[in-house]
Amino acid sequence: FNNVNFATTISQLGRIRNVNRMDQLFISFLDDLANQLEERGMEAMGVRQIANIVHAIGKMHLKNACTRRIIMYVARPDNANWVVTTAVKEDNPQAVANIAWAFAKLGIKSTGFFSELEMNHSEWLLAK
């Protein structure tokens, strides 16, 4: 799998209401996804793919160890800063909205993500 395949697969799974969250293949897929993200980093994955992955996790309300690793990796201040800055550079407010929605849905309080938005990009958000 490459990065786009990972993001597309989990995004498509998010559209299916009856995903067996306990299925060992599904859990292995999520573990592979977390490993790839941590090994390759945010830049290799791309902001759109990151947003799609995080959104799908929120939509499916997944709260297992693998998805927690993914969400907490994205929520880290340095990574949250990169996501917001890159989304602004690419003029991609949908990526920001998808991640913010998923964090809220999952109860994640990413001060790095929201502080970066508020402190450095509030004018961009208001223009969108």
Side-chain angles (χ1 to χ4, degrees):
F1 266 10
N2 65 28
N3 300 334
V4 175
N5 294 131
F6 272 120
T8 302
T9 301
I10 195 161
S11 181
Q12 292 299 317
L13 287 171
R15 295 178 183 182
I16 301 170
R17 296 282 182 224
N18 296 328
V19 173
N20 181 356
R21 297 173 182 166
M22 302 307 287
D23 183 90
Q24 197 55 43
L25 289 175
F26 182 63
I27 293 170
S28 293
F29 169 77
L30 294 173
D31 190 46
D32 287 345
L33 178 57
N35 289 337
Q36 289 298 314
L37 181 59
E38 290 171 343
E39 289 172 14
R40 294 181 183 176
M42 304 285 281
E43 296 86 1
M45 200 58 92
V47 72
R48 181 175 170 208
Q49 287 77 18
I50 297 293
N52 288 343
I53 290 166
V54 171
H55 183 264
I57 290 170
K59 188 172 185 177
M60 290 187 282
H61 213 264
L62 297 173
K63 289 187 172 184
N64 60 38
C66 301
T67 56
R68 197 169 309 116
R69 279 176 50 208
I70 294 167
I71 295 296
M72 297 318 292
Y73 185 79
V74 174
R76 279 184 10 198
D78 56 331
N79 290 336
N81 182 324
W82 179 86
V83 166
V84 173
T85 302
T86 303
V88 170
K89 285 180 190 173
E90 295 177 2
D91 197 29
N92 189 347
Q94 188 66 52
V96 173
N98 284 350
I99 293 170
W101 177 86
F103 282 177
K105 181 85 171 166
L106 296 168
I108 303 299
K109 296 177 177 141
S110 174
T111 55
F113 182 80
F114 293 108
S115 294
E116 180 64 25
L117 278 174
E118 182 180 4
M119 292 172 37
N120 298 322
H121 304 291
S122 57
E123 290 177 17
W124 175 76
L125 284 173
L126 292 173
K128 300 299 166 189

